[in-house]
Structures are given as structure tokens and as C-alpha cells.
Amino acid sequence: MSDQNPPTDRPPNRFADPHSASSEQLDTGTYDTARTEVAANAGLRPGFNEPHHYTDGEGGRTPPHKPSGAIDKYFGISATGSSFPLEMRAGLTTFLTMSYIIFVNPSVLGNAIDVGPSTFAQLLSVTCLAAAFGSLCMGIIARYPFAQAPGMGLNAFFAFTVVLGMGIPWQTALGAVFISGVLFIVLSVIGARKAIVQGIPMGLKLAITAGIGCFLALLGLRSAGIVVANEATLVGLGDLGAPTAWIAVFGLILTAVLLQLRIKGAILWGIVASSALAILTRAAVYAGGPEGAMQAFPGFNDGVIGLPVWPKDLIFQMDLAGAFGLGLLSVVFTFFFVDFFDATGTLTGLAHRSGYLDENGDMPRAKTVFSMDGLAAMFGAAMGTSTTTAYVESASGIEEGGRTGLTAATTGVLFILALFIWPIAGAIPGAATAPALILVGALMMDGIRHIEWDEVAEGVPAFLTIIVMPLTFSIANGVSMGIISYCAIKGLTGKGKDVHWILYIVAALLLARYIWLE
């Protein structure tokens, strides 16, 4: 979002009007009015590694300038027009938005893993450790603002399908997760994942970003109870008078107003204000009530600080020998497939949103980024949790202004602190973070204006990518449908040469997976 009324001491914005972009820029979807404005005002080339948003001093961002120290230079903070406070605030926003995983992951995995009375506490510690390690690796080594944690959906597949459904010991299932992580790294190092991302056309990359936005919005609407399951129509409107709904609506309007007024930390303040309202009004928006009902904030009965329970019964319990058995190849492949395309789509979408894709749609340091995803999965399995992967909720920190690895590193440090102050994280209800997800989802839709909708071969695959993600509750499915349809339509209309050869291979593998493994 570029400034509507730039200060008089700034040069005139020569790029604010999208019609000033070249036809090539619009055709490839690489034109971005906000990033081009940054270049115009800072004398830089639009495109690579520049902030997706620019606001003046009141909005918290400044034009790029020389680094002020070694840390600044390493992360490229000043180069993006960001600052240390802004990056750390963005990291805090990301943490608060995804902190639900601290409690949800142990609840899901606890159905399949039982190590005694301390099972939940040990799984909570493992969740924090895996999220901290994954986020720190992504932030410090890859230097991207993408946080990682044990993935939702993957943990349910681990617990209910693999362990409880197939009767596979949880130790062996962890071994399968570890092996899938090794495969991630191998394919990342040899450049296979980078090649796939490079082979995806810009239109689909823009669609992936928008699809993730729709997916985030659905997560937020569901968490707020505004969208609910309906047997007759699949989904329906929830009870808007319920506490979760009106707390979320309050947060949605407040955060939107703060964003429009360009208030620093708008998303973070919206989360804090909504949480405070829930606590002060005793709204029943917290899990843990009788018979699974929601309850009012229970308070800090055991204090806000507590010693973590070391996961001695989970660490290094994975059974690699059992996972290598022929009967588990399909399980390993499923873990691998789902996370491969889920994480690849997530990372590509987030990279585009944060302004890291260059004019060719390529991601700098792609091998390192994708390797960190695999390394996080391996570490999580060794600690005792299901696949650790990149989180779409990182988009909330990106919208808050996070542009460098310091954002993800901050999130990682907060997950370490959560081992000791997890009750504070528990004071943030889902109803308070829901508005952030909804608004971030809306903001991530802006790129679709560059998709060639008048070209069926471009528009239909893009549409399928966007719509399938929320409707199937899977980023991987959206990416898959987009690639398959793109290759099919292009190939059958005499435009097969427009498609990168590697996409045909990927499309064939995706079809095989859906036909024989679904």
C-alpha cells in the first residue's frame, strides 16, 4: 500500500499509477506500485529485495540506507528500509498469530503418543523446541522472515491416519517424518525444489499468494466462529452473537481502522486489544471448559512463569529401521508429498508477498531456504513431533513490516521463552488472532490484478489454485491443481512449448499420486 498523500519533502511518485508500468511488467506480474515507489524515492532498482510496502516515518518504515552494524548488514535490515524495532515487532506478531500451536499440537499428537502423565507437558516442550529451532534456522541461516513449527494437518495425519488408523507405532511414524526431511534436503541441495519454483509461471505464483490469502482468511473466519460447518451446504454462517464472533468482529474493525490510519504495529495492537476485551468482559472464548465448551479467561492460576518439562521420553525415540520397511514407503511418500508442495507453495507465496522474488520470479538463496524446511522436519522428528514446516501465519508478521531473518529469529526466541511463560501465550485466544488472519488474507489478494484473466490458459489454472486451497483446506492441493491444469490446457491448445519441461514431470507425478495413493 503506497502512500496516498506523500509528504512534500519527498520526490513526486512517478510510479503510483499502475498504468505507468510497462506492458512487460504487467504481463509478467512483476510490477508493484509500492516497491517501485520505494525505488523512486531511494534511487534503487525496483524488484529484488525491496520492501513490499512503504510508509513514511509515521508508518514505521524508512527509505533504505547504509547498515549501522554487523547485525544490520548481515540481515540486510537497513537495505530493506526496515529497522530493529520493526523487525522484532513483526516477529512478535507472527508469534502471537501462531502461538495456538503450542497447545493444539500436543492435544492432537496426544491421541497417538502416550508416555505417561507428563505426555501433554512433554509434547508442549517439544512443540516449542521444534518451532524455535525451525524459525531460528530460517531466520539466521536463510535470512528470511518465515517462521516454522509443527504443521497442522500433518500432525492429524500422523496421529489419526498413520498411528491410530494404520496401527504403526508412533516411534516408527517419527522415523518416517525424519526420512521425509532428509529427502527435502537432498532435493533442495541438488536444486530440484528451486527448479520447480523457477518453472512455475508468474501467474501461478501470484495465484499461490492469493490462494494462501484465502486460506488464511478461512482459518480466521473459522477460528472466530463466523464460518462453521453445515451438513446441507458444507459451510454456513455461525452465530454472530457468540463471544468468539463479536470479539473477532471488534478486532477486525479496529485493526482495519489502524491499518488505514497507518498506525505502527496495527496488527499487533489489534491482537492485544481484542485479548484485553475478552479478558475484561469475561467472554467465553478460551478452550478448556467443561465437556469441551469454551470458557472465560481462567487466569494465571499457576503463575505466569513455570519450569518446562524436559521431553526425556520423546527425544531420539524415532525408529528409522522400522520406517525403512517396504510397507511404510507410502507413508513416507505421503509425508513428503504433502509437506513438499505445502511448504513450497507457502514459501513461494510469502517470498512474493515480502518482495523477495526478483523480476524473473526467482527466490534468492532458494536452496538454503528449502533446506531449512527439511532440516526443521528432521529436528522435529528427532525431538518427538510430526513434520515441522513453514507457517502461513508468517504473513501476519510480513504485513506488520517484517522483511528480514530477524523477524523469524525473534519468533524463534519467543518460542524458547514460551517454554517458561506459556501461560501468557495462553491468554491470547483464537478470537483475537482471527482478525489478523482475515485482514492479512485480504491484503494478499492484491497480486491477482496482474494475472492474465482474459487468457483461459492462464486464468483457469490461477483460479483453481486460489479456490482449491481454502475449499480443500490444503495449500498443496491448490498448487497441485494449478500445475496440472496449466500443463493440460497449454499442452492441448498448442502452447505446450510455453511450459517449462520440469512442470510436465511434476504434473505427471501429481496425477500419479492422486490416482494411486488417494
Side-chain angles (χ1 to χ4, degrees):
M1 296 177 294
S2 57
D3 293 335
Q4 297 297 318
N5 298 298
T8 56
D9 59 341
R10 282 171 50 191
N13 180 9
R14 296 179 289 114
F15 300 90
D17 183 359
H19 297 290
S20 66
S22 68
S23 58
E24 180 181 1
Q25 286 175 312
L26 291 177
D27 288 343
T28 58
T30 58
Y31 181 79
D32 185 297
T33 57
R35 285 193 289 161
T36 308
E37 182 185 357
V38 175
N41 287 284
L44 298 177
R45 175 179 64 85
F48 167 67
N49 204 22
E50 292 169 6
H52 186 84
H53 295 297
Y54 176 85
T55 57
D56 57 21
E58 294 181 357
R61 301 194 71 82
T62 59
H65 55 274
K66 293 182 178 180
S68 59
I71 297 178
D72 188 341
K73 182 178 180 180
Y74 178 79
F75 285 109
I77 297 172
S78 295
T80 64
S82 188
S83 64
F84 283 92
L86 181 57
E87 293 294 311
M88 289 187 284
R89 186 172 72 226
L92 174 59
T93 300
T94 297
F95 171 77
L96 292 179
T97 308
M98 60 187 289
S99 61
Y100 66 87
I101 197 62
I102 297 174
F103 308 98
V104 174
N105 194 53
S107 297
V108 174
L109 294 183
N111 291 283
I113 299 176
D114 184 6
V115 293
S118 63
T119 297
F120 186 88
Q122 290 194 47
L123 286 172
L124 186 148
S125 296
V126 163
T127 301
C128 291
L129 289 171
F133 179 85
S135 299
L136 287 170
C137 285
M138 187 65 76
I140 296 175
I141 300 176
R143 289 174 288 164
Y144 273 80
F146 312 148
Q148 301 193 86
M152 287 297 296
L154 288 166
N155 54 9
F157 174 75
F158 178 99
F160 299 108
T161 301
V162 178
V163 178
L164 297 179
M166 301 175 64
I168 295 172
W170 60 266
Q171 296 91 337
T172 305
L174 287 176
V177 173
F178 186 89
I179 295 172
S180 68
V182 173
L183 293 176
F184 295 150
I185 293 181
V186 171
L187 290 180
S188 299
V189 171
I190 65 177
R193 294 181 76 174
K194 178 181 178 180
I196 292 174
V197 172
Q198 290 178 329
I200 298 175
M202 181 57 73
L204 280 186
K205 288 177 180 176
L206 294 171
I208 289 171
T209 304
I212 291 174
C214 291
F215 184 72
L216 279 173
L218 178 60
L219 289 175
L221 291 168
R222 189 184 71 159
S223 180
I226 297 175
V227 171
V228 298
N230 185 295
E231 291 186 3
T233 60
L234 297 182
V235 294
L237 182 66
D239 180 7
L240 297 183
T244 53
W246 62 260
I247 289 290
V249 170
F250 165 81
L252 181 67
I253 295 175
L254 173 64
T255 307
V257 169
L258 294 178
L259 285 170
Q260 178 63 36
L261 296 176
R262 306 187 187 282
I263 301 299
K264 290 183 181 180
I267 296 176
L268 177 59
W269 285 121
I271 294 174
V272 172
S274 299
S275 300
L277 180 64
I279 293 173
L280 293 175
T281 60
R282 302 292 297 166
V285 295
Y286 293 87
E291 299 181 357
M294 303 297 281
Q295 62 177 343
F297 181 59
F300 302 110
N301 297 324
D302 299 322
V304 297
I305 298 177
L307 292 177
V309 176
W310 184 248
K312 58 183 179 63
D313 299 314
L314 297 174
I315 291 181
F316 299 124
Q317 294 300 308
M318 57 186 178
D319 180 9
L320 293 177
F324 273 115
L326 183 62
L328 282 189
L329 287 180
S330 62
V331 174
V332 172
F333 182 77
T334 301
F335 275 127
F336 169 78
F337 170 86
V338 174
D339 190 40
F340 182 92
F341 286 98
D342 187 276
T344 301
T346 298
L347 292 171
T348 302
L350 294 177
H352 173 261
R353 187 61 191 169
S354 55
Y356 271 98
L357 296 187
D358 63 18
E359 58 270 17
N360 296 318
D362 297 335
M363 185 190 306
R365 305 185 303 280
K367 289 184 180 180
T368 304
V369 175
F370 293 132
S371 295
M372 292 307 99
D373 177 53
L375 185 61
M378 291 172 60
F379 179 85
M383 290 295 100
T385 184
S386 54
T387 308
T388 301
T389 186
Y391 256 57
V392 293
E393 283 85 353
S394 301
S396 63
I398 291 171
E399 291 302 332
E400 192 68 11
R403 288 296 177 272
T404 75
L406 185 58
T407 293
T410 300
T411 302
V413 171
L414 290 172
F415 270 110
I416 294 177
L417 294 178
L419 286 168
F420 302 90
I421 58 173
W422 57 267
I424 295 180
I428 308 295
T433 58
L437 299 178
I438 297 170
L439 286 171
V440 169
L443 295 172
M444 292 181 73
M445 296 295 293
D446 69 341
I448 63 174
R449 67 184 185 275
H450 299 312
I451 296 174
E452 298 179 73
W453 294 108
D454 56 338
E455 288 288 333
V456 173
E458 298 286 337
V460 170
F463 173 76
L464 290 175
T465 300
I466 295 171
I467 200 69
V468 168
M469 283 190 194
L471 292 185
T472 66
F473 218 71
S474 169
I475 295 173
N477 284 338
V479 175
S480 300
M481 294 302 171
I483 291 176
I484 292 172
S485 60
Y486 182 80
C487 292
I489 296 174
K490 285 285 188 178
L492 295 173
T493 55
K495 298 182 179 180
K497 293 183 178 180
D498 294 344
V499 183
H500 195 290
W501 63 268
I502 198 169
L503 276 194
Y504 285 117
I505 297 177
V506 172
L509 291 174
L510 292 173
L511 279 174
R513 189 259 177 180
Y514 282 120
I515 293 173
W516 285 294
L517 292 180
E518 283 293 322

